[in-house]
Amino acid sequence: PLSAAANLRPGAEQRVVFITARVHPGETPSSFVCQGIIDFLVSQHPIAKVLRDHLVFKIAPMLNPDGVYLGNYRCSLMGFDLNRHWANPSPWAHPTLHGVKQLIIEMYNNPKINLEFYIDIHAHSTMMNGFMYGNIFEDEERFQRQAVFPKLLCQNAEDFSYSSTSFNRDAVKAGTGRRFLGGLLNDTSYCYTLEVSFYSYVLGGPTSAVPYTEEAYMKLGRNVARTFLDYYRLNSLVERPLAPTPKTR
Protein backbone atom coordinates (compact mmCIF):
# COMPACT_ATOMS: atom_id res chain seq x y z
CA PRO A 1 0.00 0.00 0.00
CA LEU A 2 1.08 3.56 -0.67
CA SER A 3 2.28 5.39 2.44
CA ALA A 4 0.35 8.51 3.43
CA ALA A 5 2.47 11.42 2.22
CA ALA A 6 3.12 14.36 4.55
CA ASN A 7 1.37 16.71 2.13
CA LEU A 8 -1.92 14.81 2.58
CA ARG A 9 -2.08 15.27 6.35
CA PRO A 10 -4.86 17.61 7.59
CA GLY A 11 -3.81 21.26 7.45
CA ALA A 12 -0.72 20.62 5.33
CA GLU A 13 0.00 23.05 2.50
CA GLN A 14 -0.44 21.38 -0.86
CA ARG A 15 1.06 21.98 -4.28
CA VAL A 16 -1.52 20.67 -6.74
CA VAL A 17 -1.08 19.50 -10.32
CA PHE A 18 -4.50 19.14 -12.01
CA ILE A 19 -4.67 16.98 -15.15
CA THR A 20 -7.68 16.38 -17.41
CA ALA A 21 -8.04 14.31 -20.60
CA ARG A 22 -10.44 13.14 -23.29
CA VAL A 23 -12.70 16.19 -23.47
CA HIS A 24 -12.86 15.35 -27.19
CA PRO A 25 -14.03 11.71 -27.39
CA GLY A 26 -12.29 10.83 -30.67
CA GLU A 27 -8.86 11.81 -29.34
CA THR A 28 -8.05 8.35 -27.98
CA PRO A 29 -4.26 8.93 -27.67
CA SER A 30 -4.97 11.38 -24.83
CA SER A 31 -6.31 8.47 -22.75
CA PHE A 32 -3.10 6.46 -23.25
CA VAL A 33 -0.94 9.46 -22.29
CA CYS A 34 -3.09 9.98 -19.18
CA GLN A 35 -2.85 6.25 -18.40
CA GLY A 36 0.93 6.52 -18.55
CA ILE A 37 0.88 9.40 -16.06
CA ILE A 38 -1.44 7.56 -13.64
CA ASP A 39 0.39 4.22 -13.83
CA PHE A 40 3.72 5.92 -13.16
CA LEU A 41 2.47 8.04 -10.26
CA VAL A 42 0.97 5.08 -8.37
CA SER A 43 3.99 2.85 -9.01
CA GLN A 44 6.81 2.03 -6.62
CA HIS A 45 9.33 3.83 -8.85
CA PRO A 46 11.67 5.97 -6.68
CA ILE A 47 10.78 9.12 -8.66
CA ALA A 48 7.05 8.46 -8.21
CA LYS A 49 7.53 8.16 -4.44
CA VAL A 50 9.27 11.57 -4.31
CA LEU A 51 6.54 13.16 -6.44
CA ARG A 52 3.79 11.80 -4.18
CA ASP A 53 5.60 13.17 -1.13
CA HIS A 54 5.84 16.69 -2.55
CA LEU A 55 2.89 17.17 -4.88
CA VAL A 56 -0.83 16.34 -4.98
CA PHE A 57 -2.05 15.14 -8.38
CA LYS A 58 -5.75 15.54 -9.21
CA ILE A 59 -6.63 13.69 -12.41
CA ALA A 60 -9.93 13.59 -14.34
CA PRO A 61 -9.06 11.06 -17.08
CA MET A 62 -12.27 11.39 -19.12
CA LEU A 63 -14.18 14.69 -19.27
CA ASN A 64 -16.59 13.48 -21.98
CA PRO A 65 -17.67 9.92 -21.04
CA ASP A 66 -21.01 10.05 -22.85
CA GLY A 67 -19.35 11.19 -26.08
CA VAL A 68 -16.81 8.38 -25.76
CA TYR A 69 -19.57 5.82 -25.13
CA LEU A 70 -21.46 6.98 -28.24
CA GLY A 71 -18.35 6.98 -30.43
CA ASN A 72 -18.60 10.73 -31.12
CA TYR A 73 -15.52 12.45 -32.47
CA ARG A 74 -15.77 15.85 -30.79
CA CYS A 75 -19.12 16.42 -29.08
CA SER A 76 -20.99 15.26 -26.01
CA LEU A 77 -24.33 13.43 -25.98
CA MET A 78 -26.11 16.79 -26.34
CA GLY A 79 -23.96 17.94 -29.23
CA PHE A 80 -21.68 20.34 -27.31
CA ASP A 81 -17.96 20.78 -27.90
CA LEU A 82 -17.26 20.83 -24.17
CA ASN A 83 -13.88 22.48 -24.68
CA ARG A 84 -15.61 25.71 -25.65
CA HIS A 85 -17.80 25.97 -22.52
CA TRP A 86 -15.37 26.44 -19.64
CA ALA A 87 -16.33 30.07 -19.12
CA ASN A 88 -19.88 29.25 -17.99
CA PRO A 89 -20.54 25.50 -17.88
CA SER A 90 -24.10 24.43 -17.15
CA PRO A 91 -24.55 21.78 -14.41
CA TRP A 92 -27.25 20.29 -16.63
CA ALA A 93 -25.71 20.49 -20.11
CA HIS A 94 -21.99 20.25 -19.25
CA PRO A 95 -21.94 18.42 -15.89
CA THR A 96 -18.35 17.14 -16.03
CA LEU A 97 -16.94 20.59 -16.80
CA HIS A 98 -19.14 22.16 -14.13
CA GLY A 99 -17.91 19.69 -11.51
CA VAL A 100 -14.23 20.04 -12.40
CA LYS A 101 -14.44 23.83 -12.58
CA GLN A 102 -16.13 24.01 -9.15
CA LEU A 103 -13.37 21.84 -7.67
CA ILE A 104 -10.65 24.01 -9.23
CA ILE A 105 -12.27 27.21 -7.91
CA GLU A 106 -12.59 25.67 -4.42
CA MET A 107 -8.90 24.82 -4.45
CA TYR A 108 -7.99 28.24 -5.80
CA ASN A 109 -9.87 29.88 -2.91
CA ASN A 110 -8.24 27.63 -0.29
CA PRO A 111 -5.20 29.41 1.23
CA LYS A 112 -3.62 26.04 2.05
CA ILE A 113 -3.60 24.94 -1.60
CA ASN A 114 -1.36 26.21 -4.39
CA LEU A 115 -2.81 25.11 -7.72
CA GLU A 116 0.41 25.28 -9.71
CA PHE A 117 -0.32 23.35 -12.92
CA TYR A 118 -3.33 22.63 -15.09
CA ILE A 119 -2.66 20.32 -18.05
CA ASP A 120 -5.43 19.27 -20.48
CA ILE A 121 -4.43 16.33 -22.70
CA HIS A 122 -5.57 16.18 -26.34
CA ALA A 123 -4.58 14.47 -29.60
CA HIS A 124 -3.83 16.26 -32.88
CA SER A 125 -4.86 14.96 -36.30
CA THR A 126 -2.36 16.82 -38.52
CA MET A 127 0.78 17.60 -36.47
CA MET A 128 3.50 15.14 -35.53
CA ASN A 129 5.10 14.62 -32.09
CA GLY A 130 3.89 15.82 -28.72
CA PHE A 131 3.78 19.57 -28.11
CA MET A 132 2.02 22.14 -25.92
CA TYR A 133 -0.11 25.24 -26.19
CA GLY A 134 0.34 27.89 -23.53
CA ASN A 135 -1.03 31.37 -22.88
CA ILE A 136 0.19 34.87 -23.66
CA PHE A 137 0.74 37.28 -20.75
CA GLU A 138 1.65 40.94 -20.65
CA ASP A 139 4.14 40.19 -17.85
CA GLU A 140 7.35 39.21 -19.66
CA GLU A 141 8.78 37.28 -16.70
CA ARG A 142 5.61 35.20 -16.29
CA PHE A 143 5.58 34.50 -20.02
CA GLN A 144 9.18 33.24 -19.87
CA ARG A 145 8.59 31.15 -16.72
CA GLN A 146 5.73 29.42 -18.53
CA ALA A 147 8.23 28.08 -21.10
CA VAL A 148 10.27 26.22 -18.46
CA PHE A 149 8.09 23.10 -18.15
CA PRO A 150 7.82 22.36 -21.91
CA LYS A 151 11.58 22.93 -22.30
CA LEU A 152 12.29 20.41 -19.52
CA LEU A 153 9.80 17.95 -21.03
CA CYS A 154 11.58 18.28 -24.38
CA GLN A 155 14.81 17.14 -22.68
CA ASN A 156 13.08 14.10 -21.14
CA ALA A 157 10.90 12.93 -24.05
CA GLU A 158 12.42 12.30 -27.48
CA ASP A 159 8.99 12.58 -29.10
CA PHE A 160 8.13 15.96 -27.54
CA SER A 161 8.79 18.97 -29.73
CA TYR A 162 9.48 22.37 -28.15
CA SER A 163 9.69 23.90 -31.63
CA SER A 164 6.01 22.98 -32.22
CA THR A 165 4.99 24.35 -28.81
CA SER A 166 3.24 27.72 -29.12
CA PHE A 167 1.67 30.39 -26.94
CA ASN A 168 -1.48 32.08 -28.17
CA ARG A 169 -4.66 33.92 -27.29
CA ASP A 170 -6.72 33.46 -30.46
CA ALA A 171 -10.46 34.06 -30.04
CA VAL A 172 -11.52 30.61 -31.25
CA LYS A 173 -9.76 29.01 -28.24
CA ALA A 174 -11.28 31.37 -25.66
CA GLY A 175 -13.62 28.73 -24.14
CA THR A 176 -10.93 26.08 -23.66
CA GLY A 177 -9.74 24.90 -20.26
CA ARG A 178 -6.25 26.19 -20.84
CA ARG A 179 -7.35 29.68 -21.89
CA PHE A 180 -10.12 30.12 -19.31
CA LEU A 181 -8.15 28.84 -16.33
CA GLY A 182 -5.07 30.75 -17.50
CA GLY A 183 -7.12 33.93 -17.06
CA LEU A 184 -8.75 32.83 -13.79
CA LEU A 185 -5.75 31.57 -11.82
CA ASN A 186 -2.97 33.79 -10.51
CA ASP A 187 0.56 34.21 -11.81
CA THR A 188 1.95 31.22 -9.90
CA SER A 189 -0.25 28.86 -11.94
CA TYR A 190 0.60 27.49 -15.37
CA CYS A 191 -2.07 26.17 -17.73
CA TYR A 192 -1.26 24.10 -20.80
CA THR A 193 -2.88 22.01 -23.48
CA LEU A 194 -0.72 18.93 -24.11
CA GLU A 195 -1.20 17.69 -27.68
CA VAL A 196 0.11 14.43 -29.11
CA SER A 197 -0.02 13.29 -32.73
CA PHE A 198 -2.59 10.70 -33.80
CA TYR A 199 -0.03 8.92 -35.93
CA SER A 200 3.72 9.48 -35.51
CA TYR A 201 6.71 11.34 -34.15
CA VAL A 202 9.95 12.33 -35.85
CA LEU A 203 13.44 11.41 -34.72
CA GLY A 204 16.31 13.08 -36.55
CA GLY A 205 15.47 14.00 -40.13
CA PRO A 206 12.00 14.69 -41.56
CA THR A 207 11.85 11.25 -43.23
CA SER A 208 12.33 9.26 -40.03
CA ALA A 209 8.73 9.23 -38.78
CA VAL A 210 8.07 6.60 -36.11
CA PRO A 211 4.46 5.39 -35.77
CA TYR A 212 2.98 5.88 -32.32
CA THR A 213 1.89 2.83 -30.35
CA GLU A 214 -0.16 2.61 -27.17
CA GLU A 215 3.08 2.00 -25.27
CA ALA A 216 4.75 5.06 -26.84
CA TYR A 217 1.80 7.24 -25.78
CA MET A 218 2.04 5.86 -22.23
CA LYS A 219 5.79 6.49 -22.24
CA LEU A 220 5.10 10.16 -23.06
CA GLY A 221 2.77 10.21 -20.04
CA ARG A 222 5.51 8.75 -17.83
CA ASN A 223 7.91 11.41 -19.10
CA VAL A 224 5.40 14.18 -18.33
CA ALA A 225 5.21 12.91 -14.74
CA ARG A 226 9.01 12.62 -14.43
CA THR A 227 9.45 16.21 -15.63
CA PHE A 228 7.89 17.52 -12.41
CA LEU A 229 10.94 16.10 -10.61
CA ASP A 230 13.18 18.40 -12.67
CA TYR A 231 10.81 21.36 -12.47
CA TYR A 232 10.68 21.28 -8.66
CA ARG A 233 14.39 20.35 -8.38
CA LEU A 234 13.65 17.22 -6.37
CA ASN A 235 16.26 15.05 -8.11
CA SER A 236 18.52 14.86 -5.07
CA LEU A 237 15.74 13.18 -3.06
CA VAL A 238 15.41 10.17 -5.33
CA GLU A 239 16.78 6.99 -3.77
CA ARG A 240 19.56 5.67 -5.95
CA PRO A 241 20.10 1.93 -6.23
CA LEU A 242 23.21 0.88 -4.34
CA ALA A 243 26.22 0.48 -6.60
CA PRO A 244 27.23 -3.18 -6.92
CA THR A 245 30.35 -3.99 -4.91
CA PRO A 246 33.28 -4.68 -7.22
CA LYS A 247 34.31 -8.33 -7.32
CA THR A 248 37.74 -8.97 -5.91
CA ARG A 249 40.00 -11.07 -8.09
Side-chain angles (χ1 to χ4, degrees):
L2 304 179
S3 59
N7 58 5
L8 293 180
R9 291 186 188 127
E13 288 209 8
Q14 295 181 354
R15 287 175 159 173
V16 173
V17 175
F18 207 109
I19 297 170
T20 56
R22 209 70 186 273
V23 72
H24 291 140
E27 296 176 10
T28 48
S30 73
S31 282
F32 292 115
V33 174
C34 194
Q35 184 75 46
I37 293 173
I38 294 169
D39 287 350
F40 182 78
L41 289 176
V42 300
S43 74
Q44 292 302 313
H45 194 288
I47 291 176
K49 291 179 179 179
V50 171
L51 292 175
R52 291 196 301 266
D53 280 340
H54 288 82
L55 301 167
V56 174
F57 290 86
K58 303 276 189 185
I59 302 176
M62 190 175 286
L63 286 180
N64 196 339
D66 49 342
V68 170
Y69 176 78
L70 290 168
N72 291 354
Y73 181 71
R74 196 167 177 90
C75 294
S76 66
L77 168 66
M78 298 177 67
F80 291 108
D81 178 347
L82 294 181
N83 205 35
R84 295 296 181 271
H85 289 275
W86 278 92
N88 191 23
S90 154
W92 177 74
H94 326 108
T96 52
L97 287 202
H98 183 266
V100 167
K101 182 180 169 183
Q102 290 302 113
L103 178 57
I104 287 174
I105 290 173
E106 277 176 33
M107 289 193 297
Y108 178 63
N109 291 329
N110 185 335
K112 288 282 191 183
I113 294 178
N114 294 319
L115 181 53
E116 303 202 340
F117 279 89
Y118 171 75
I119 299 176
D120 189 27
I121 309 173
H122 288 250
H124 205 285
S125 57
T126 58
M127 301 271 283
M128 290 211 221
N129 295 52
F131 58 95
M132 280 178 148
Y133 293 126
N135 294 313
I136 289 179
F137 304 107
E138 305 303 331
D139 179 352
E140 180 69 22
E141 188 196 347
R142 184 183 184 191
F143 184 68
Q144 290 176 351
R145 285 200 315 264
Q146 184 188 212
V148 171
F149 188 86
K151 282 183 176 175
L152 291 172
L153 178 54
C154 189
Q155 292 171 11
N156 287 336
E158 61 184 5
D159 57 322
F160 183 84
S161 168
Y162 185 75
S163 60
S164 296
T165 291
S166 63
F167 304 92
N168 62 58
R169 57 155 61 126
D170 49 324
V172 73
K173 301 285 180 82
T176 64
R178 181 237 338 160
R179 279 287 306 279
F180 175 74
L181 294 170
L184 171 75
L185 305 176
N186 63 27
D187 63 1
T188 61
S189 304
Y190 297 102
C191 299
Y192 304 94
T193 301
L194 172 61
E195 296 271 4
V196 63
S197 172
F198 265 104
Y199 51 101
S200 63
Y201 56 98
V202 178
L203 297 178
T207 56
S208 55
V210 181
Y212 264 114
T213 60
E214 293 175 13
E215 174 53 36
Y217 287 130
M218 288 191 275
K219 182 179 179 183
L220 176 60
R222 293 195 293 272
N223 285 326
V224 169
R226 295 170 77 111
T227 299
F228 287 104
L229 188 82
D230 301 328
Y231 183 85
Y232 287 104
R233 298 177 180 166
L234 300 170
N235 306 65
S236 62
L237 302 176
V238 178
E239 290 179 18
R240 306 281 178 215
L242 294 172
T245 48
K247 289 179 181 171
T248 51
R249 290 188 175 171

